[in-house]
Amino acid sequence: MQSAVEAHRTGKLAEAEKLYKQVLAADQNHVDAWRLLGVVAGQVGKFEIAVQLIGRAVLIRPELVEGWTDLAEALTGLGKLEDAKVAYEKAIALRPAFAGARANLGEVLNKLGRGEEAMACWREAARLDPKLPEPYYNMGGVLFAQGKADEAVACFQKAIAAGKDFAPGHNNLGAVLWSQGKRKEASECFCRAVELNPKYAEAWNNLGSVWDEGGKHEEAMECWTRAIALRPGYAEAHNNLGVALEKRGGRAAAIKEWEEAARLRPDWEVPKYYLAAARATNAPPPTGPPAEYVAKLFDEYADKFDQHLLGTLEYRVPDLLVEAVKRIGASRFEEVMDLGCGTGLCGEKFRPMAGRMMGVDLSARLILKAMERGIYDVLLVAGVAEGLGGGKGDVDLVLAGDVLGYVGELSELFKAAQGAMRPGGLFVFSVEKPSEKEGEGLVLRRTRRFAHSKSYIERVAREAGMEMVEMSEAVIRLDDQKPIEGMIGVVRR
């Protein structure tokens, strides 16, 4: 038995399994041999066998606390969360001060959607053992998911203080700081996480993303490559590496990475969208980008948004929208809704004409930048459809400056705009114009933006019950130093 435990401790699982079975051949009632043989089975993913073996141990000795916690872990791996909950509760009944069991019970409760009970478990676990990092770590994860970033930071800092070498605490603290735009501090956290655990694939992936955002592109690619080497099935790292390869002209290599990401996570729409834009799939083209893709794109773009648009890209859409409105003789709007408001470049131009102004954007970090401008009465982190749902037929002007390229199919959006506006209300927007080669209709470009033809816009406006007032052509910005031909549209309810 001593030899079996030593082999198990050093990761020699096959040898440990053989020795535990030798013990049981000599003593069919050896509780620890049954239990630890089950633990080995769980470690290699054989959870059903693990439940049977550990279950035999607790049948022989029902008062064995470790048996109930090991059984609970195996049941969790099997997806039997209610049964796992009961097993953890039995362990706690036998040993009320068992902080680790309470922390694990909290995880199970959280997976069951019982968040408040989970938080209570973690708080009690932290009280029983202040040196246990997991309760603070788990509470931080829940708080971050709820949008309570500052409270999450405090929890992750407590997790790190409780276990100074606790790499997950550093990684998740970095994730929260990164979401707040604190790139330097986030990078330091991810570096500390991989220093503590060089095999921490998620931390390498995160470090790659934050470095890429900060301009360290070669270092970022090394991070994603290392993450994939550590976890070949890491879809997110494959996807990130694909984007980086494409930026460096390696389109064929990028397509391979996106194909692998899509294979690993068939339900994930982002790599499928990249493949569709790269024309690397025979599937019908998507009618719009995944919301996750758009939010991430502009979250990462937030810190350089204005400078890049106005300087590098010579962005002209806000002025073009104002000119279009003035051409039709409009000058005052009591209720204005700015869809995809970004940092407020369009809103700033229309503020003198507006009574009350609402801004809507999927990117939380762009909304924070818009708040700094102080031009909106209401700001909402949401998609365009959700934003339009906030209008009750009382909006005078809906703006969509350089937004529809990130929406795609427009029928539902135009209908929602019609419902949000009062009679006579205007919807003013910009679109990219397809080239003759791209043809008519809705076109997904290699840039992963959509272009819309004039005939397409006229049709969706007509079907939504709106009148086309004006459609003018214009260069809306530069892209790779080349002019992007677009159109400025005005439709009326």
Side-chain angles (χ1 to χ4, degrees):
M1 187 65 187
Q2 289 177 348
S3 298
V5 170
E6 179 61 21
H8 196 167
R9 185 185 67 79
T10 56
K12 300 172 182 175
L13 299 185
E15 183 181 339
E17 180 182 14
K18 180 180 176 182
L19 291 168
Y20 288 137
K21 286 179 178 178
Q22 288 181 14
V23 172
L24 290 169
D27 179 3
Q28 282 290 304
N29 290 317
H30 199 297
V31 173
D32 283 336
W34 283 114
R35 179 176 70 85
L36 294 172
L37 185 59
V39 171
V40 169
Q43 286 176 292
V44 296
K46 298 178 179 178
F47 297 114
E48 285 192 24
I49 295 172
V51 168
Q52 293 170 9
L53 295 170
I54 302 168
R56 182 72 177 267
V58 296
L59 275 174
I60 297 169
R61 192 184 300 169
E63 71 278 9
L64 183 64
V65 174
E66 291 79 6
W68 289 110
T69 56
D70 290 338
L71 180 60
E73 286 188 33
L75 288 163
T76 301
L78 202 56
K80 295 186 175 181
L81 298 180
E82 288 290 353
D83 292 340
K85 169 181 169 292
V86 171
Y88 278 128
E89 287 171 342
K90 287 188 177 181
I92 292 166
L94 289 165
R95 191 186 298 168
F98 194 172
R102 288 186 185 273
N104 290 345
L105 175 59
E107 290 187 50
V108 170
L109 288 166
N110 191 49
K111 289 175 181 176
L112 286 167
R114 295 158 68 169
E116 289 303 316
E117 293 175 65
M119 293 291 278
C121 272
W122 293 326
R123 283 191 289 266
E124 180 62 9
R127 186 191 69 79
L128 290 166
D129 186 358
K131 293 183 179 180
L132 193 67
E134 285 82 4
Y136 297 115
Y137 173 80
N138 290 329
M139 285 190 282
V142 170
L143 290 165
F144 185 32
Q146 294 174 343
K148 299 175 181 177
D150 291 338
E151 293 177 52
V153 165
C155 280
F156 289 132
Q157 287 172 335
K158 287 179 181 178
I160 292 167
K164 295 191 183 299
D165 295 336
F166 187 55
H170 289 279
N171 178 66
N172 281 24
L173 176 59
V176 182
L177 293 170
W178 186 21
S179 77
Q180 296 177 316
K182 299 175 181 177
R183 188 186 300 123
K184 180 176 180 295
E185 296 91 331
S187 177
E188 290 169 355
C189 287
F190 297 139
C191 284
R192 180 60 177 153
V194 297
E195 179 186 344
L196 291 168
N197 181 4
K199 295 184 177 180
Y200 197 169
E202 184 178 354
W204 282 113
N205 181 60
N206 288 340
L207 181 59
S209 294
V210 77
W211 273 358
D212 189 61
E213 186 182 312
K216 295 183 177 181
H217 304 303
E218 295 303 321
E219 295 92 332
M221 289 183 70
E222 290 176 14
C223 288
W224 290 323
T225 302
R226 184 172 298 200
I228 292 167
L230 290 166
R231 193 196 303 172
Y234 199 169
E236 289 80 358
H238 281 287
N239 190 67
N240 288 337
L241 183 58
V243 174
L245 287 165
E246 185 200 38
K247 287 178 181 175
R248 287 151 188 76
R251 182 168 167 266
I255 286 171
K256 288 183 179 179
E257 296 297 333
W258 294 328
E259 287 175 339
E260 182 64 4
R263 185 189 70 80
L264 290 164
R265 280 186 56 186
D267 61 335
W268 193 22
E269 296 301 319
V270 172
K272 294 178 187 177
Y273 186 67
Y274 287 132
L275 288 168
R279 315 286 201 279
T281 175
N282 292 324
T287 56
E292 173 192 354
Y293 160 74
V294 178
K296 184 174 184 291
L297 174 70
F298 287 101
D299 274 346
E300 293 176 356
Y301 195 23
D303 291 338
K304 55 187 177 184
F305 188 82
D306 287 7
Q307 183 276 327
H308 190 241
L309 275 180
L310 298 176
T312 307
L313 303 184
E314 298 183 12
Y315 180 61
R316 301 183 58 228
V317 167
D319 289 323
L320 292 170
L321 297 185
V322 170
E323 290 168 12
V325 167
K326 288 183 176 178
R327 274 198 302 273
I328 64 171
S331 60
R332 182 67 186 174
F333 307 92
E334 291 307 316
E335 292 282 339
V336 176
M337 186 178 293
D338 187 2
L339 301 178
C341 64
T343 62
L345 292 175
C346 273
E348 190 171 56
K349 297 289 184 179
F350 280 89
R351 180 71 261 188
M353 305 182 196
R356 182 175 177 273
M357 180 171 282
M358 177 181 184
V360 180
D361 204 287
L362 267 176
S363 167
R365 284 174 66 177
L366 285 180
I367 287 289
L368 289 173
K369 296 285 183 183
M371 284 181 182
E372 295 172 7
R373 262 196 165 90
I375 58 176
Y376 294 98
D377 300 287
V378 179
L379 283 164
L380 179 66
V381 179
V384 292
E386 185 181 348
L388 287 166
K392 305 300 180 185
D394 57 356
V395 178
D396 299 288
L397 175 66
V398 175
L399 300 170
D402 208 20
V403 174
L404 304 189
Y406 300 98
V407 174
E409 210 288 315
L410 301 179
S411 296
E412 294 304 314
L413 184 143
F414 269 63
K415 290 174 185 175
Q418 199 265 5
M421 293 188 297
R422 69 174 78 248
L426 298 178
F427 181 20
V428 185
F429 53 88
S430 67
V431 293
E432 293 186 20
K433 178 187 173 185
S435 65
E436 287 187 17
K437 183 178 178 181
E438 288 172 320
E440 293 290 301
L442 177 66
V443 178
L444 176 58
R445 294 180 141 172
R446 290 273 176 89
T447 58
R448 296 189 282 276
R449 294 190 302 269
F450 284 88
H452 304 81
S453 69
K454 183 178 180 182
S455 61
Y456 175 88
I457 297 293
E458 289 172 339
R459 177 178 63 78
V460 295
R462 183 173 63 252
E463 290 174 354
M466 292 201 281
E467 171 195 6
M468 178 63 69
V469 179
E470 179 181 287
M471 183 72 79
S472 57
E473 296 185 2
V475 172
I476 55 177
R477 67 170 178 281
L478 302 181
D479 194 352
D480 197 21
Q481 301 301 310
K482 297 175 183 176
I484 298 296
E485 297 291 337
M487 294 181 289
I488 304 300
V490 182
V491 297
R492 178 185 290 119
R493 175 176 174 179

